[in-house]
Amino acid sequence: MKRNAITAAGLAGVMLLGLAGCAAPAAETPPAASAATPESAEAQAAAQVLGGHWEEQAIDMTGKELVSSFLCGADGTVQIYLRDWETGETTRQISRDNGATWTEEALPAWMDQVIEGEGWELSYLDSTPDGRWTLVWTLLEGQTPEQNQSRQWIVDPQGTVTPLDIGALFEGADWAVMPAFLDNETLALLPIQRSADMEADCYRWQMTALNLTDRSFRTLPGVSDCSTTHYEEDPPGSGNWVGPTGGMIAYTGAAGRYVYFAGMEEGAQLRVVDPETGSSEVWLEELPGNRPAALCADDDGNLYYLTVEGIYRLAAGGTLPELVMDGAGTHTREIASLELNSPFEVGIGSVVMDRTADGSFLVMRVRRDAQTLYRYSWVEG
């Protein structure tokens, strides 16, 4: 997923691109494309009346690595940051039509403050749903994983850059992985000590929710004391590891909750964690669809996930997902393939998906050899 110098922790750090849903109002959900339940049958009948269909658009970005989430706006604007594999140069692509067309535009002025000196590269960028805070990860790769250096930054709406000093916040830690915004001011992350944790293949800290305003923090349930990614051992001591194949996302229907896939040998569960109550529970025991690969949500709390069959929608508080976009004839099978998304391999969760203001879906694999951005949009007639 990254260059060979990147370690398992580095992989885990970037596997959560696109964690929160696009920061845009929920668009009207298009009719479903497949009849697997009564709900989807009704939607399919509506689709036949309207005569609409989902259209796949492939946008070639060969040679570029995605190093940001899809940063979506309520006006249909979408931004992504890319890094050239040959030169390491960072560029910014912006769409003003919900991902249909893209243009390269100048980097923000504050970018010069975080890309410090030769060799430093942007490795991750994400923003809160309201755009109040921007999180930036930069990386200087060494000859060995232990020589890698990483710096974290927080940028406010005025473009003021402030270092996020992991060592000062968490004594003994010198790095953090798996960042995810839980709401407009809270960042979830897993502090680690690279030399000790990587050698032991074990993280000694728990997932932590950090308040960006006052720098207070609390631990979150749902992560074991010893893990190489966001895994739980369920039940404890059983050796049955479960973890997300598409990363962790903020569940926008309820502030502070987060949702993730649990990859099992015979399928996948959907789990939800509420840091306020300390509960960590199974939302869905058996998730419909083969090889779920990515998650996103809208502002109404509806959840969407990509599988081999297409894109499913799970209504806020619901328990019966419906296939709202049939992937037949598209690249969803390739994107969510078994070989590239095994929950038992390091580097899982290398697919980014988000929903734009007009209800379209943007999907991109974070792999050097497969840099194509796919857009799925509803077309009337």
Side-chain angles (χ1 to χ4, degrees):
M1 189 166 102
K2 301 279 288 179
R3 302 175 196 177
N4 292 334
I6 301 297
T7 63
L11 288 166
V14 299
M15 77 180 216
L16 295 178
L17 302 173
L19 304 174
C22 287
E28 190 70 24
T29 302
S34 176
T37 67
E39 289 84 353
S40 61
E42 294 174 2
Q44 185 182 42
Q48 293 172 349
V49 172
L50 294 174
H53 65 280
W54 285 96
E55 183 174 271
E56 180 182 73
Q57 176 187 1
I59 302 166
D60 183 22
M61 295 190 177
T62 301
K64 305 290 187 180
E65 176 193 16
L66 185 65
V67 288
S68 76
S69 301
F70 289 110
L71 308 178
C72 304
D75 60 354
T77 300
V78 186
Q79 297 184 55
I80 56 174
Y81 287 76
L82 303 170
R83 188 172 65 196
D84 188 287
W85 270 100
E86 296 296 330
T87 67
E89 180 184 5
T90 297
T91 57
R92 177 171 62 164
Q93 295 280 336
I94 297 181
S95 171
R96 290 181 170 79
D97 51 11
N98 295 283
T101 60
W102 296 82
T103 58
E104 183 176 325
E105 300 195 10
L107 295 171
W110 54 257
M111 188 64 75
D112 288 338
Q113 299 179 56
V114 301
I115 305 296
E116 295 185 314
E118 184 177 356
W120 283 94
E121 298 177 345
L122 178 68
S123 62
Y124 178 69
L125 184 148
D126 194 18
S127 291
T128 52
D130 66 352
R132 185 185 314 171
W133 303 96
T134 297
L135 171 71
V136 182
W137 241 246
T138 55
L139 179 70
L140 178 64
E141 295 187 83
Q143 296 299 314
T144 66
E146 291 74 20
Q147 294 174 334
N148 290 343
Q149 298 182 49
S150 179
R151 294 176 181 170
Q152 298 79 40
W153 313 85
I154 292 294
V155 185
D156 68 17
Q158 288 71 44
T160 302
V161 178
T162 304
L164 184 63
D165 191 337
I166 300 298
L169 289 168
F170 309 101
E171 184 178 358
D174 58 4
W175 208 9
V177 295
M178 296 181 287
F181 284 112
L182 296 185
D183 52 40
N184 286 319
E185 65 176 12
T186 308
L187 176 69
L189 73 168
L190 181 61
I192 69 168
Q193 184 177 1
R194 278 177 293 182
S195 57
D197 292 350
M198 290 180 182
E199 182 178 349
D201 199 25
C202 176
Y203 296 161
R204 296 182 292 114
W205 280 269
Q206 284 188 293
M207 185 68 77
T208 301
L210 173 67
N211 184 292
L212 295 175
T213 301
D214 61 15
R215 296 299 195 268
S216 63
F217 59 86
R218 65 184 188 276
T219 57
L220 302 177
V223 181
S224 69
D225 291 334
C226 184
S227 60
T228 55
T229 183
H230 185 71
Y231 280 146
E232 291 184 23
E233 193 174 6
D234 187 16
S238 67
N240 180 27
W241 291 98
V242 297
T245 57
M248 181 181 70
I249 69 164
Y251 178 44
T252 57
R257 301 180 76 191
Y258 61 91
V259 181
Y260 63 96
F261 289 136
M264 314 297 287
E265 292 187 18
E266 298 181 355
Q269 295 176 341
L270 188 65
R271 296 195 173 197
V272 60
V273 174
D274 187 339
E276 296 299 332
T277 64
S279 65
S280 176
E281 59 187 32
V282 176
W283 186 354
L284 286 183
E285 183 67 39
E286 296 183 11
L287 205 62
N290 293 310
R291 312 309 305 173
L295 285 163
C296 68
D298 61 29
D299 287 347
D300 290 335
N302 301 307
L303 198 67
Y304 303 87
Y305 62 93
L306 176 75
T307 69
V308 167
E309 294 84 1
I311 296 176
Y312 281 84
R313 174 182 180 269
L314 178 59
T319 58
L320 190 61
E322 58 174 327
L323 188 65
V324 294
M325 195 211 81
D326 192 330
T330 73
H331 285 80
T332 57
R333 175 172 293 277
E334 174 186 333
I335 296 168
S337 65
L338 172 65
E339 292 79 10
L340 297 177
N341 282 295
S342 171
F344 306 105
E345 295 177 3
V346 173
I348 60 175
S350 54
V351 177
V352 184
M353 180 176 76
D354 263 317
R355 189 170 183 265
T356 64
D358 70 346
S360 298
F361 294 97
L362 300 177
V363 179
M364 193 170 182
R365 175 172 291 287
V366 185
R367 287 181 63 88
R368 183 178 184 180
D369 57 354
Q371 284 307 304
T372 301
L373 191 159
Y374 295 99
R375 178 176 185 260
Y376 299 98
S377 56
W378 181 255
V379 178
E380 300 290 350

